[in-house]
Amino acid sequence: MRHESKILKDNPLGDKHIRDLIVYLPPNYDEDKQFPVVYCLTGFTGRGKMFLNDSAFTPNLAERLDKLIGDETIKPMIAVMPDCFTHYGGSQYINSSATGNYEDYLTQEIIPFVDENFGTINDKNSRAVMGKSSGGYGALVMATRHANLFGLACSTSGDAYFEFCYFPGIVEGFRAFKGDAKALIEKFWREDARKGKDDFAALNTIGMSACYSPNENSELGFDLPFDLATGEIREEVWARWLEHDPVRLVEKSVENLKSLKLLYIDAGIRDEFHLDLGARILCKRLKDFDIPHIHEEFDDGHFNISYRQNRSLELISDTFKE
Amino acid sequence: MRHESKILKDNPLGDKHIRDLIVYLPPNYDEDKQFPVVYCLTGFTGRGKMFLNDSAFTPNLAERLDKLIGDETIKPMIAVMPDCFTHYGGSQYINSSATGNYEDYLTQEIIPFVDENFGTINDKNSRAVMGKSSGGYGALVMATRHANLFGLACSTSGDAYFEFCYFPGIVEGFRAFKGDAKALIEKFWREDARKGKDDFAALNTIGMSACYSPNENSELGFDLPFDLATGEIREEVWARWLEHDPVRLVEKSVENLKSLKLLYIDAGIRDEFHLDLGARILCKRLKDFDIPHIHEEFDDGHFNISYRQNRSLELISDTFKE
Amino acid sequence: MRHESKILKDNPLGDKHIRDLIVYLPPNYDEDKQFPVVYCLTGFTGRGKMFLNDSAFTPNLAERLDKLIGDETIKPMIAVMPDCFTHYGGSQYINSSATGNYEDYLTQEIIPFVDENFGTINDKNSRAVMGKSSGGYGALVMATRHANLFGLACSTSGDAYFEFCYFPGIVEGFRAFKGDAKALIEKFWREDARKGKDDFAALNTIGMSACYSPNENSELGFDLPFDLATGEIREEVWARWLEHDPVRLVEKSVENLKSLKLLYIDAGIRDEFHLDLGARILCKRLKDFDIPHIHEEFDDGHFNISYRQNRSLELISDTFKE
Amino acid sequence: MRHESKILKDNPLGDKHIRDLIVYLPPNYDEDKQFPVVYCLTGFTGRGKMFLNDSAFTPNLAERLDKLIGDETIKPMIAVMPDCFTHYGGSQYINSSATGNYEDYLTQEIIPFVDENFGTINDKNSRAVMGKSSGGYGALVMATRHANLFGLACSTSGDAYFEFCYFPGIVEGFRAFKGDAKALIEKFWREDARKGKDDFAALNTIGMSACYSPNENSELGFDLPFDLATGEIREEVWARWLEHDPVRLVEKSVENLKSLKLLYIDAGIRDEFHLDLGARILCKRLKDFDIPHIHEEFDDGHFNISYRQNRSLELISDTFKE
């Protein structure tokens, strides 16, 4: 499905504002019936369409839903897979003067559009959001700021406790910059340029800078959290990042978080970005504020864990109101 | 497009015989016109559909063709992306009592089916085959045994010189077997089982054994090239593998290879499976037999090199007869 | 040579107080002559004796000195290689209630002992200190706090800017603790226990905690900079670490640092602990305070760089007063 | 101790013929008593002196022997640590026109020299040989060809089944040659040249070529087992290597091997060079020929396993005749 966005029109990166919106309809879909909806958010460098990518040994999300609904493991539901990708690799599903207003795009355009065009139950307790990695982060953003729209939120390996999930990558990726952030971005858009592990770490730092520390007055449009010559951390920029850390967002969002019917947080105990520790620290905060939630850990890392979607989908299905 | 295969019906692995056949049609496609055709073969653990997978920074094959044809960099052509995947990860595009007759499937069913259903030029000099890795191997198989069907063949990083591309992996993967090849295959079909580098090496050994050393009288349906207890190489099994090595196929296929209008072989000089060396040795054999060919090397490894498809497509386009 | 220490007697870890002191004497050594002295400090998990370890392709420090002095590349000098090793892997050459008073040991016992027993020039401008990694850190400690004893200091890849050299290792090593720091230390003292990369990162965190955040009232004798259950950083402990960071020591030691006849800082631009960045940031601070120093970078990593000793020794030799 | 060798005089690599011979004497050593002797052989790139290297958490061989003898875990014995290092990294303890006659050096010079100068029991059943890696290989060479001198032999992770322990390294190291084997050797002798994993694999291939396929008529003094341009294996050279494989030596040495009082073979089940598989295959051959031996496996890799010396020393001690 195509959707033409007003909010993304003239976005600062020149990314397209007419985008594919992937909508999965359950096998028994019928325009006259109403179904609950789950919004599925991809990780950094992802976009909705990738949920449909074919893979040798693993079902894609549509195949997975067909199976779970066919099995009656979960209730029939609509799944929406939006595209919040940007030239820098992603948007973290938040508004930024450096990338565009993707938080508004999702909450003010996509949700109404879906509710208008499909047989949905337009109610927060029949609307869930789930995602992995930056998609899990997006789910947490929705839970903390848009609990009026989403009554259920599941974050798998969602970005949290930025000291652990981002800081080491800032250090690792520093050398890839070679003093020129622009050249690094361009490298990613040249197909035949070989990219190493450090380049990906650097791209991640750029992507997060664009989301967390935009700066309309800087040449790049955002501030990097370190000095390009020595690597020294710019504490004031880093502090702006931390304001976006879910661990820090909890105290500002207690009422919203308490209003959720489902708040599910899981992560693998071998997560390469230490997001299991982020999840532990986040859940400690939730507990400190008496916010109901479910916390689980599983024996795996950060990658190739789409099978964990089953767990989120089952909890969502169980929680959707009858 | 769906195709129902008679050849794959009742195949030994119980893999489905009704399969998606991906056919790309150029922008100006018209049933009444006739277009040349390129068959695009995926690597091990791949199937045609994956050529259409979405990726952050890289166009998929359809987007790439749209761009190249739109640019007039290449002539309009049809591209066919068959599915020769199996329960063991692949078929190497050859017949085997352990997996099924995928060589026949491709040459006796898919080609006629395409020619019947699409506006193709049914002529070997308007029919090319290209692929990477095991897909490059498949292209070489077509070139050596089916030059009557394919007049153009391009192999990027195609499996060759098995001592280098497979032997180290046999050693590396040995421990993953833990004495039980079946259990290892099953592990790949369990989503939540963590797979390490050695597991993939072992799966590759299984896949190649099923293709190169099938044995209807063995419990597994094929012979492994080593003893499961000690790892000692079974020389007679390994010798059966070597019979399928393109480096060894050259001398049996001189006339076929000489008849080709295009034989293009390239590989990256950092190929993790040493396929650049395989390509060098293969091209040395071709030279020894005065077989015309183009040999190129590029500064990259085995993975994330789909941009090399451009080079093959351009050579194919230039060679297709007017 | 053996030295019996009063300062290390009854140290908290029960490490021995009678230790080998390695003293290199130049080929023309003669008790009646007087020679300048260089103190050579090892890195973490090292001790003086290891400078004499035999290696296939690389001279040990005695062989290196023989060669450089024989060549007349450097002046004849005495080299002292003290043992400041502890049960936790090292002492950082500072006083700590958790390990012992190694700073006092070196400055109050070893130096007088050497001057009494060997033909030294007992003058700060004829006494240098050099080292790599934690040994470089030790040299910086001497330069900032004991410039009355050492007039020359050379730090190769010395620990600096703890955010970069230690913080990622804290994160990486967290899992190795499994909630029990004592068990991890014991593991290192069991020969047949396999140690992985994370174990070494964890040992390093323990060693540095014992040096930088000792706590006589805690069970371990020191505070770890993170919570053992969640990994969350204990900011007050981390702040204690930072007080020991050379980058932060500069402003407290300006007069001492300005009094040095040689302050040399180098590091490899591929340093696995980012100590080249630490060196850059440190040298920026030195510059900000108008402290004379020499800063060099070389194209190598953190390990197998003993050839860099030549550069330090040559600068020391050139600077020793006539 | 210094020993001047006639056999090594004028060796083809210009390596020195006057060498340190390390001889460990037990605490109660007395010239008038007679002790059994164990010869300890280092791995590739090692020499006797390195057994005395100091290490943070692990005793060196002299400290280990002091402890085991002090404990009465083993009988008092002399330990001899010869130096069979060469410019190419080692000699495999065999004669070669490319490196020198190290097998003769050890058996015809070192043994008599030790027996003349120390209080030894000059009897094969009081003379053992042990070693790790190439040192284990050396022990197997002594067991197969010099059972008249050594009645006990222990190989830990000894080179065996060359297809697994050397072949993958030949492939891995190929690129490091860049067509010039000499330049690669020189690189190892330049301290400040960075050496990667592939360089070490290439050095190993050179070292083994010099030992197993020397050729007085070639420019290098030996034949490499592959073509420097394409990497293609030179089968006739590889066949010469295989003649030196312990797995192949068994059948030629049955009487010698049967005459041993102790033949002990162990390896770690995570050996990076697959020497546990080599050991399994070797022991299968020994069993086929009814040769008594002890075979053990342990849960570790190839490196940092000097604690396994205890097991060999204990078996040796138990076997030395009263």
Side-chain angles (χ1 to χ4, degrees):
Chain A
M1 222 169 161
R2 300 238 135 184
H3 169 265
E4 181 167 351
S5 168
K6 285 176 190 162
I7 290 170
L8 297 188
K9 195 147 196 292
D10 303 320
N11 66 72
L13 295 175
D15 287 312
K16 59 187 179 187
H17 70 290
I18 304 175
R19 297 187 177 210
D20 289 330
L21 178 71
I22 309 294
V23 180
Y24 166 88
L25 302 176
N28 64 336
Y29 179 76
D30 175 337
E31 285 201 341
D32 302 332
K33 285 196 210 157
Q34 287 181 313
F35 294 87
V37 188
V38 57
Y39 287 75
C40 302
L41 310 182
T42 63
F44 191 64
T45 73
R47 57 189 163 224
K49 228 190 294 186
M50 291 184 198
F51 279 121
L52 304 188
N53 277 354
D54 187 39
S55 170
F57 302 105
T58 307
N60 67 25
L61 185 51
E63 293 161 346
R64 186 180 301 283
L65 286 161
D66 278 346
K67 174 89 167 45
L68 291 172
I69 294 169
D71 278 0
E72 302 191 359
T73 305
I74 64 170
K75 296 172 191 157
M77 58 181 80
I78 292 169
V80 178
M81 310 171 203
D83 173 357
C84 296
F85 185 68
T86 74
H87 188 71
Y88 294 158
S91 65
Q92 298 298 93
Y93 306 95
I94 66 177
N95 296 337
S96 158
S97 67
T99 58
N101 290 340
Y102 287 87
E103 189 169 338
D104 293 348
Y105 167 65
L106 184 57
T107 56
Q108 297 174 20
E109 288 191 329
I110 296 298
I111 291 177
F113 180 81
V114 168
D115 287 328
E116 276 161 39
N117 288 278
F118 298 94
T120 63
I121 307 173
N122 186 344
D123 178 281
K124 71 172 181 171
N125 289 335
S126 295
R127 191 182 296 110
V129 60
M130 64 180 270
K132 194 199 98 174
S133 198
S134 288
Y137 178 81
L140 294 170
V141 166
M142 296 302 132
T144 51
R145 290 206 283 268
H146 303 283
N148 58 320
L149 296 172
F150 294 100
L152 306 84
C154 297
S155 164
T156 293
S157 316
D159 300 9
Y161 203 58
F162 291 0
E163 287 91 337
F164 278 19
C165 69
Y166 297 144
F167 195 88
I170 291 173
V171 188
E172 292 299 330
F174 173 80
R175 281 185 235 282
F177 282 96
K178 294 175 187 164
D180 185 348
K182 262 191 192 169
L184 190 115
I185 300 163
E186 279 159 25
K187 186 176 178 180
F188 272 87
W189 289 99
R190 270 183 295 118
E191 275 201 283
D192 57 351
R194 281 188 299 121
K195 292 114 197 163
K197 220 185 140 210
D198 285 358
D199 291 314
F200 281 95
L203 179 74
N204 200 58
T205 299
I206 287 174
M208 298 308 135
S209 296
C211 297
Y212 301 143
S213 50
N215 180 349
E216 293 181 74
N217 300 318
S218 77
E219 200 203 329
L220 286 166
F222 56 84
D223 292 325
L224 287 167
F226 54 81
D227 182 271
L228 268 173
T230 63
E232 188 170 356
I233 293 298
R234 297 168 66 187
E235 296 292 348
E236 75 286 3
V237 179
W238 179 241
R240 293 177 62 200
W241 284 43
L242 291 184
E243 285 171 25
H244 290 277
D245 187 342
V247 166
R248 276 83 178 181
L249 291 179
V250 169
E251 61 178 326
K252 301 178 197 160
S253 320
V254 174
E255 289 319 302
N256 270 351
L257 290 167
K258 281 193 173 172
S259 77
L260 297 172
K261 286 198 71 173
L262 172 68
L263 177 55
Y264 174 66
I265 288 157
D266 65 353
I269 57 170
R270 301 164 192 269
D271 192 285
E272 285 84 352
F273 302 97
H274 315 287
L275 291 166
D276 53 329
L277 304 183
R280 285 189 200 175
I281 296 167
L282 175 60
C283 290
K284 192 165 177 305
R285 290 288 189 288
L286 294 173
K287 211 180 150 197
D288 290 346
F289 285 93
D290 288 322
I291 296 163
H293 64 281
I294 301 171
H295 177 211
E296 292 183 2
E297 297 191 335
F298 51 89
D299 184 15
D300 214 328
H302 191 73
F303 302 103
N304 301 316
I305 53 169
S306 58
Y307 65 89
R308 292 297 303 180
Q309 294 167 347
N310 291 20
R311 179 72 181 132
S312 286
L313 288 167
E314 286 164 27
L315 286 168
I316 286 169
S317 172
D318 291 349
T319 311
F320 275 144
K321 67 169 194 186
E322 297 304 308
Chain B
M1 244 202 124
R2 300 237 134 186
H3 170 266
E4 181 168 350
S5 168
K6 285 178 190 160
I7 289 169
L8 296 187
K9 194 146 198 294
D10 303 320
N11 66 72
L13 294 175
D15 287 312
K16 60 189 178 183
H17 70 291
I18 304 175
R19 300 188 174 208
D20 288 330
L21 179 71
I22 310 295
V23 180
Y24 166 88
L25 302 177
N28 64 337
Y29 180 75
D30 174 338
E31 284 204 340
D32 302 332
K33 287 196 210 154
Q34 287 181 312
F35 294 86
V37 189
V38 57
Y39 286 74
C40 302
L41 309 183
T42 63
F44 191 63
T45 73
R47 56 189 163 225
K49 231 189 292 186
M50 292 185 199
F51 279 120
L52 304 188
N53 278 354
D54 188 39
S55 170
F57 302 104
T58 307
N60 68 26
L61 185 51
E63 293 162 345
R64 187 180 301 281
L65 287 161
D66 277 348
K67 173 89 166 48
L68 292 171
I69 294 169
D71 279 358
E72 301 191 358
T73 306
I74 63 170
K75 296 172 191 158
M77 57 180 80
I78 292 169
V80 179
M81 310 171 203
D83 173 357
C84 296
F85 185 67
T86 73
H87 189 72
Y88 294 159
S91 65
Q92 298 297 93
Y93 307 94
I94 65 177
N95 296 337
S96 158
S97 66
T99 57
N101 289 341
Y102 288 86
E103 189 168 341
D104 293 349
Y105 167 65
L106 184 56
T107 55
Q108 297 175 20
E109 288 192 327
I110 296 300
I111 293 178
F113 179 82
V114 168
D115 287 329
E116 277 161 37
N117 287 279
F118 297 94
T120 64
I121 307 173
N122 185 344
D123 177 281
K124 70 174 182 171
N125 289 335
S126 295
R127 191 182 295 114
V129 59
M130 64 181 270
K132 194 200 100 174
S133 197
S134 287
Y137 179 81
L140 294 171
V141 165
M142 295 302 132
T144 51
R145 288 206 284 268
H146 303 283
N148 57 320
L149 297 172
F150 294 100
L152 306 84
C154 297
S155 164
T156 292
S157 316
D159 301 7
Y161 203 58
F162 290 181
E163 287 91 337
F164 278 19
C165 68
Y166 296 143
F167 195 88
I170 291 173
V171 187
E172 292 299 329
F174 173 79
R175 281 185 235 282
F177 282 97
K178 295 175 187 165
D180 186 348
K182 264 190 192 169
L184 190 114
I185 300 163
E186 279 159 25
K187 186 176 178 179
F188 271 86
W189 289 99
R190 269 182 296 120
E191 275 201 285
D192 58 351
R194 281 188 300 123
K195 292 113 197 163
K197 221 184 140 211
D198 286 359
D199 291 314
F200 282 94
L203 180 74
N204 200 59
T205 300
I206 286 173
M208 298 308 137
S209 296
C211 298
Y212 301 144
S213 50
N215 179 350
E216 293 181 74
N217 301 318
S218 76
E219 199 202 329
L220 288 165
F222 56 84
D223 292 325
L224 286 166
F226 54 80
D227 181 273
L228 267 173
T230 63
E232 188 170 357
I233 293 298
R234 296 168 65 187
E235 296 292 348
E236 76 284 4
V237 178
W238 179 241
R240 293 177 62 201
W241 284 42
L242 292 183
E243 284 172 25
H244 291 276
D245 187 343
V247 166
R248 275 84 178 183
L249 290 179
V250 169
E251 62 178 325
K252 300 177 197 158
S253 320
V254 175
E255 289 319 302
N256 271 350
L257 290 167
K258 283 193 172 172
S259 77
L260 298 171
K261 286 198 71 176
L262 172 68
L263 176 56
Y264 174 66
I265 288 158
D266 64 353
I269 58 172
R270 302 164 191 268
D271 192 284
E272 286 83 353
F273 302 98
H274 314 288
L275 291 166
D276 53 328
L277 305 183
R280 285 189 199 174
I281 297 167
L282 175 60
C283 290
K284 194 166 177 303
R285 289 288 188 290
L286 294 172
K287 210 179 152 199
D288 289 347
F289 286 93
D290 288 321
I291 296 163
H293 65 281
I294 301 172
H295 177 210
E296 292 183 2
E297 297 190 336
F298 52 90
D299 184 13
D300 214 328
H302 191 72
F303 301 104
N304 302 316
I305 54 169
S306 58
Y307 64 89
R308 292 299 301 180
Q309 293 167 348
N310 290 19
R311 181 71 181 132
S312 285
L313 287 166
E314 285 164 28
L315 286 167
I316 285 169
S317 172
D318 290 349
T319 311
F320 275 144
K321 67 170 193 186
E322 297 303 308
Chain C
M1 213 156 177
R2 301 238 134 183
H3 169 265
E4 181 168 351
S5 168
K6 284 177 192 162
I7 289 169
L8 297 188
K9 195 148 197 294
D10 304 319
N11 66 73
L13 294 175
D15 286 313
K16 61 188 176 186
H17 69 291
I18 304 174
R19 298 187 175 210
D20 288 330
L21 179 70
I22 310 294
V23 179
Y24 166 88
L25 302 175
N28 66 337
Y29 180 75
D30 174 336
E31 285 202 340
D32 300 332
K33 286 196 210 156
Q34 287 180 313
F35 295 86
V37 189
V38 57
Y39 286 75
C40 302
L41 309 183
T42 63
F44 191 63
T45 73
R47 57 190 164 226
K49 229 188 294 185
M50 291 183 199
F51 279 120
L52 305 187
N53 277 354
D54 188 39
S55 170
F57 302 104
T58 307
N60 66 26
L61 185 52
E63 293 161 347
R64 186 179 302 280
L65 286 162
D66 278 347
K67 174 87 166 47
L68 291 170
I69 295 169
D71 279 0
E72 301 191 358
T73 306
I74 64 169
K75 295 172 193 159
M77 58 180 80
I78 292 169
V80 178
M81 309 170 203
D83 173 357
C84 296
F85 184 68
T86 74
H87 189 72
Y88 294 159
S91 65
Q92 296 298 91
Y93 307 95
I94 67 177
N95 296 337
S96 158
S97 67
T99 58
N101 289 340
Y102 287 86
E103 188 168 341
D104 293 349
Y105 167 65
L106 184 56
T107 56
Q108 297 174 21
E109 288 193 329
I110 296 299
I111 293 178
F113 180 81
V114 167
D115 287 330
E116 275 161 38
N117 287 279
F118 297 94
T120 64
I121 307 172
N122 186 341
D123 179 280
K124 70 172 182 171
N125 288 333
S126 296
R127 192 182 295 112
V129 60
M130 64 181 269
K132 193 199 99 174
S133 196
S134 288
Y137 178 80
L140 294 170
V141 166
M142 296 300 133
T144 50
R145 289 206 282 268
H146 304 283
N148 58 321
L149 297 172
F150 294 100
L152 307 85
C154 297
S155 164
T156 292
S157 317
D159 301 7
Y161 204 57
F162 290 0
E163 286 90 337
F164 278 19
C165 68
Y166 296 144
F167 196 88
I170 291 173
V171 188
E172 292 298 329
F174 173 80
R175 283 186 233 281
F177 282 97
K178 296 174 187 164
D180 185 348
K182 262 190 193 169
L184 190 114
I185 301 163
E186 278 158 26
K187 186 175 179 181
F188 272 86
W189 289 99
R190 270 183 294 120
E191 274 201 283
D192 57 352
R194 281 187 300 123
K195 292 115 200 161
K197 220 184 142 210
D198 286 358
D199 291 314
F200 281 94
L203 180 74
N204 200 59
T205 300
I206 287 174
M208 298 309 136
S209 296
C211 296
Y212 301 143
S213 50
N215 180 350
E216 292 180 75
N217 300 319
S218 76
E219 200 202 329
L220 287 166
F222 56 84
D223 292 325
L224 287 167
F226 54 80
D227 181 271
L228 268 172
T230 63
E232 187 170 357
I233 293 298
R234 296 169 64 188
E235 296 291 349
E236 75 287 2
V237 179
W238 179 241
R240 293 177 62 199
W241 283 44
L242 291 183
E243 284 172 26
H244 291 277
D245 187 342
V247 165
R248 275 84 179 183
L249 291 178
V250 169
E251 61 178 325
K252 301 177 196 160
S253 320
V254 174
E255 288 319 302
N256 271 350
L257 290 167
K258 282 192 173 172
S259 77
L260 297 171
K261 288 198 69 174
L262 172 68
L263 176 57
Y264 174 66
I265 288 157
D266 65 352
I269 57 170
R270 301 165 192 267
D271 192 285
E272 285 84 352
F273 302 97
H274 315 286
L275 291 165
D276 53 329
L277 304 183
R280 284 189 199 175
I281 297 167
L282 176 60
C283 289
K284 193 164 176 306
R285 291 288 188 290
L286 294 172
K287 211 180 151 197
D288 289 346
F289 286 93
D290 288 322
I291 296 163
H293 66 280
I294 302 171
H295 177 211
E296 293 183 1
E297 296 190 336
F298 51 89
D299 185 12
D300 214 328
H302 191 73
F303 302 103
N304 303 316
I305 54 169
S306 58
Y307 65 89
R308 292 296 304 180
Q309 294 166 346
N310 290 19
R311 180 71 181 132
S312 285
L313 288 166
E314 286 164 26
L315 286 168
I316 286 169
S317 172
D318 291 349
T319 311
F320 275 145
K321 69 171 192 184
E322 296 304 308
Chain D
M1 219 165 167
R2 300 237 135 186
H3 169 266
E4 181 167 351
S5 167
K6 284 176 190 163
I7 289 169
L8 297 187
K9 195 146 198 297
D10 303 319
N11 66 72
L13 294 175
D15 287 312
K16 61 187 176 185
H17 70 289
I18 304 175
R19 298 188 176 209
D20 289 329
L21 179 71
I22 309 295
V23 180
Y24 166 87
L25 302 176
N28 65 337
Y29 181 75
D30 175 337
E31 285 203 338
D32 301 331
K33 287 196 210 157
Q34 288 181 312
F35 294 87
V37 189
V38 57
Y39 286 75
C40 302
L41 310 182
T42 63
F44 192 63
T45 72
R47 55 190 165 226
K49 230 189 293 186
M50 291 184 198
F51 279 121
L52 305 187
N53 277 354
D54 188 38
S55 171
F57 302 104
T58 307
N60 68 25
L61 185 52
E63 293 162 346
R64 187 179 300 281
L65 287 161
D66 277 349
K67 174 86 165 49
L68 291 172
I69 295 169
D71 280 0
E72 301 190 359
T73 305
I74 64 169
K75 295 172 190 159
M77 58 179 80
I78 292 168
V80 179
M81 307 170 204
D83 173 358
C84 296
F85 184 69
T86 73
H87 189 71
Y88 294 158
S91 66
Q92 297 297 93
Y93 306 96
I94 65 178
N95 295 336
S96 158
S97 67
T99 58
N101 290 339
Y102 287 86
E103 188 169 341
D104 293 350
Y105 168 65
L106 184 56
T107 56
Q108 297 174 21
E109 287 191 330
I110 295 299
I111 292 177
F113 179 80
V114 167
D115 287 329
E116 275 162 37
N117 287 279
F118 297 93
T120 63
I121 307 173
N122 185 341
D123 178 281
K124 69 173 183 171
N125 288 334
S126 295
R127 192 182 294 112
V129 60
M130 65 181 268
K132 193 200 100 174
S133 197
S134 288
Y137 179 81
L140 293 171
V141 166
M142 295 301 133
T144 50
R145 290 206 283 268
H146 304 283
N148 59 320
L149 297 171
F150 294 101
L152 307 84
C154 297
S155 164
T156 292
S157 316
D159 300 7
Y161 203 58
F162 289 1
E163 285 91 338
F164 278 19
C165 68
Y166 295 144
F167 196 88
I170 290 173
V171 187
E172 292 298 330
F174 173 79
R175 283 185 235 280
F177 281 97
K178 294 172 188 165
D180 185 348
K182 263 189 191 168
L184 189 114
I185 300 164
E186 278 158 26
K187 186 176 179 181
F188 271 87
W189 289 98
R190 270 182 295 120
E191 275 201 282
D192 57 353
R194 280 187 301 123
K195 292 115 197 162
K197 221 187 142 209
D198 285 359
D199 291 314
F200 281 94
L203 180 73
N204 199 60
T205 299
I206 288 173
M208 298 308 135
S209 296
C211 297
Y212 301 143
S213 49
N215 179 351
E216 292 180 76
N217 301 320
S218 76
E219 199 202 329
L220 288 165
F222 55 85
D223 293 324
L224 287 167
F226 54 81
D227 182 272
L228 268 173
T230 62
E232 187 170 357
I233 293 297
R234 298 168 64 187
E235 296 290 350
E236 74 288 2
V237 178
W238 179 241
R240 291 178 61 199
W241 283 44
L242 291 184
E243 285 171 24
H244 290 277
D245 187 341
V247 165
R248 275 82 178 184
L249 291 179
V250 169
E251 62 179 325
K252 300 177 196 160
S253 320
V254 175
E255 288 319 302
N256 271 351
L257 289 168
K258 282 193 172 172
S259 78
L260 297 171
K261 284 199 71 175
L262 173 68
L263 176 56
Y264 175 65
I265 288 157
D266 66 353
I269 57 169
R270 300 164 192 269
D271 193 283
E272 285 84 353
F273 303 98
H274 314 287
L275 291 165
D276 52 329
L277 304 183
R280 284 189 199 174
I281 298 167
L282 176 60
C283 290
K284 192 164 178 306
R285 290 288 189 291
L286 294 172
K287 210 180 152 197
D288 290 347
F289 285 94
D290 288 320
I291 295 164
H293 66 281
I294 301 171
H295 177 212
E296 292 182 2
E297 297 191 335
F298 51 91
D299 184 12
D300 214 328
H302 192 73
F303 301 104
N304 302 315
I305 53 169
S306 59
Y307 65 89
R308 291 297 304 179
Q309 293 167 347
N310 290 18
R311 179 73 181 132
S312 286
L313 287 166
E314 285 165 27
L315 285 168
I316 287 169
S317 173
D318 291 348
T319 312
F320 274 146
K321 68 170 194 187
E322 297 302 310

